[in-house]
Amino acid sequence: MKIIDKIKINKFEGCGNKSPLIIMQESIKKIKNCDEGVELEFNDYDWLISIKDILKIMQQDIKLKIIENRIDNGYISLDVVADC
Amino acid sequence: MGEIKEIVDNNWLLSHLKDDNVRVVEVDYDPTTAFNIWHIPGSVLIRWREDLRHKILRDFLEPKEFEELMESKGINNDTIVVLYGDYNNWFAVYAFWLFKAYGHDDVRVLNGGRTKWAKENLPIEKGNNETKYNKGNYKIKKLDWGSNRVFFWELLQKVTKNEVGKTTFLIDVRSPKEFTGEIRAPPEYADEQTQVGGHIPGAINFPWSQAVNPETGEFKSKEELERLFESSGIRKDKEIITYCRIGERASHTWFVLKYILGYPSVRVYDGSWAEWGNIVGAPIKKGAEP
């Protein structure tokens, strides 16, 4: 599996009109091939529920799955990878 | 936080979710990534930009529009309104500030907001299906901007007359990098950049996030907050003005000072850096010093 993008979002630094979840979606949309995935790290449980549901409704040519890695220093780490 | 009427916790809300006189309101800057994905059962949605902003001016909706908005959400003058929302509850607390300016009697904030509700795996509704309630009956009884809000021209006078740091404490609650002028806004927010970076001369940097528990988003204890603010030299016997970039983080700190710590005179400069950093000739300071 090749991690093609890594995103780390600190909820205390974000501020503005671009939701961190949009930033995550943009990263996920880069997955085009079966051996690709992206690594997402963030520190808000709200986003964990949300990103799981967003994945279910995202229009993507390739099937995706989430691998939850760890919670470290308040950060939830997960990989979104192609499921094929 | 049990002794502070303006703050409710998850247990309180769970036991009052079906009360006719309680309306749970999610206030989102971006509902497409918040309310529309999941929300607290029975809650109604207020969209920060579309519902609360003035249609033409950089300002808030007119009192008549506020009344109509409340009625459309089934809110009466005596309804207990509980606010929560996206972005660390910022816009919920910003809305709290607006509710207070428009004189709503009983408005409260859900401690920890979406973050703690999600962390505790509490019941949620999915999708953008907003619960419909019978039309409310709402009349604004008292409009009070004066004790809540500071406009640019008043603040400019205080700065130019050297009142900041003496009779008035100005608190910049943005991140240290925004305060020093290293950045004007996080890089992904290109349309919210100002012409210049830095801070208002005399302002103290007290990042808003110091007031919350990073794991849950809940407010820190009153004792801990007292220690934090006192050690930063922010005194109760002074007039306090908070600001940030667009006003939402400033409202968060305003809420902490006014409702948790009981500071008697706190107002928000909601024009904030998005205004000050674009005014031709306005005094600005760079670096970490006030």
Side-chain angles (χ1 to χ4, degrees):
Chain A
M1 181 62 58
K2 190 164 60 183
I3 296 296
I4 58 167
D5 197 20
K6 290 185 180 183
I7 300 280
K8 185 169 184 175
I9 300 176
N10 179 352
K11 67 177 175 177
F12 295 127
E13 288 180 358
C15 170
N17 66 1
K18 194 168 184 181
S19 163
L21 285 159
I22 299 286
I23 297 168
M24 288 186 228
Q25 285 180 65
E26 287 173 355
S27 176
I28 292 165
K29 282 179 183 166
K30 293 176 185 171
I31 301 170
K32 300 289 181 203
N33 300 305
C34 283
D35 62 341
E36 292 177 344
V38 297
E39 185 183 303
L40 308 176
E41 266 191 281
F42 48 83
N43 55 352
D44 197 322
Y45 287 87
D46 171 13
W47 298 337
L48 180 60
I49 297 181
S50 299
I51 198 67
K52 285 176 178 172
D53 279 321
I54 285 171
L55 272 189
K56 287 179 197 161
I57 54 175
M58 260 180 86
Q59 298 293 314
Q60 192 81 346
D61 294 335
I62 204 159
K63 199 176 164 200
L64 300 167
K65 68 175 179 184
I66 287 181
I67 302 168
E68 289 186 44
N69 294 326
R70 62 187 182 279
I71 298 177
D72 185 21
N73 202 20
Y75 277 85
I76 301 156
S77 167
L78 50 88
D79 293 340
V80 178
V81 299
D83 185 19
C84 51
Chain B
M1 291 295 162
E3 74 281 10
I4 297 165
K5 184 190 155 208
E6 288 80 9
I7 300 174
V8 302
D9 62 18
N10 287 349
N11 285 336
W12 186 94
L13 189 54
L14 280 168
S15 61
H16 290 84
L17 269 183
K18 294 191 189 307
D19 286 8
D20 288 340
N21 201 36
V22 173
R23 186 71 66 247
V24 185
V25 180
E26 174 156 341
V27 184
D28 284 342
Y29 194 74
D30 181 4
T32 64
T33 57
F35 185 92
N36 294 358
I37 306 294
W38 72 266
H39 51 267
I40 294 176
S43 59
V44 295
L45 170 68
I46 289 182
R47 302 163 301 171
W48 178 259
R49 285 173 290 193
E50 295 86 346
D51 296 329
L52 296 180
R53 303 297 303 182
H54 196 284
K55 299 282 185 291
I56 299 167
L57 310 178
R58 184 184 170 189
D59 209 335
F60 298 98
L61 74 177
E62 300 284 351
K64 181 73 186 150
E65 294 169 323
F66 187 81
E67 291 172 350
E68 289 166 358
L69 178 65
M70 293 301 100
E71 291 182 346
S72 73
K73 304 296 176 185
I75 295 171
N76 303 314
N77 286 77
D78 62 354
T79 301
I80 299 169
V81 174
V82 178
L83 304 169
Y84 77 102
D86 62 357
Y87 284 96
N88 307 296
N89 251 357
W90 288 338
F91 293 93
V93 182
Y94 208 169
F96 178 99
W97 175 78
L98 191 62
F99 272 74
K100 281 294 176 192
Y102 280 164
H104 191 83
D105 285 332
D106 197 340
V107 55
R108 309 180 189 191
V109 172
L110 176 65
N111 204 2
R114 289 177 63 91
T115 301
K116 185 148 195 278
W117 197 269
K119 190 174 188 327
E120 295 188 348
N121 282 317
L122 295 174
I124 57 173
E125 280 176 356
K126 293 189 176 181
N128 61 353
N129 50 321
E130 186 181 2
T131 304
K132 296 288 176 228
Y133 295 95
N134 291 334
K135 189 180 175 208
N137 182 12
Y138 203 94
K139 287 282 169 288
I140 290 178
K141 291 178 285 188
K142 181 186 70 173
L143 194 58
D144 178 15
W145 281 120
S147 61
N148 293 297
R149 189 181 206 187
V150 178
F151 286 106
F152 169 78
W153 47 85
E154 184 187 351
L155 185 53
L156 182 63
Q157 284 234 336
K158 287 179 183 294
V159 171
T160 54
K161 288 181 177 173
N162 287 321
E163 291 173 15
V164 175
K166 293 174 184 163
T167 56
T168 300
F169 276 21
L170 186 56
I171 309 177
D172 183 325
V173 307
R174 298 174 299 160
S175 67
K177 281 184 180 174
E178 289 172 279
F179 182 82
T180 58
E182 190 178 331
I183 60 171
R184 288 172 288 152
E188 62 271 26
Y189 305 125
D191 62 341
E192 290 180 8
Q193 297 281 350
T194 52
Q195 292 292 308
V196 292
H199 58 269
I200 301 172
I204 299 165
N205 187 210
F206 186 94
W208 74 277
S209 57
Q210 291 187 57
V212 299
N213 177 334
E215 271 280 301
T216 62
E218 290 174 292
F219 298 108
K220 288 178 178 169
S221 71
K222 187 177 177 183
E223 295 69 30
E224 201 171 344
L225 290 167
E226 269 168 353
R227 269 198 305 277
L228 280 167
F229 280 97
E230 280 170 14
S231 66
S232 299
I234 299 164
R235 289 165 42 186
K236 230 174 196 166
D237 61 346
K238 303 290 180 187
E239 180 196 33
I240 309 283
I241 296 170
T242 62
Y243 77 93
C244 57
R245 190 159 53 88
I246 56 172
E248 82 296 22
R249 291 174 286 180
S251 306
H252 194 281
T253 305
W254 164 86
F255 181 88
V256 169
L257 288 166
K258 190 159 183 162
Y259 292 96
I260 300 179
L261 299 180
Y263 278 54
S265 175
V266 194
R267 291 186 289 164
V268 175
Y269 167 44
D270 59 296
S272 279
W273 196 251
E275 179 175 61
W276 195 280
N278 280 323
I279 299 284
V280 175
I284 282 169
K285 190 152 182 192
K286 293 259 191 188
E289 294 301 312

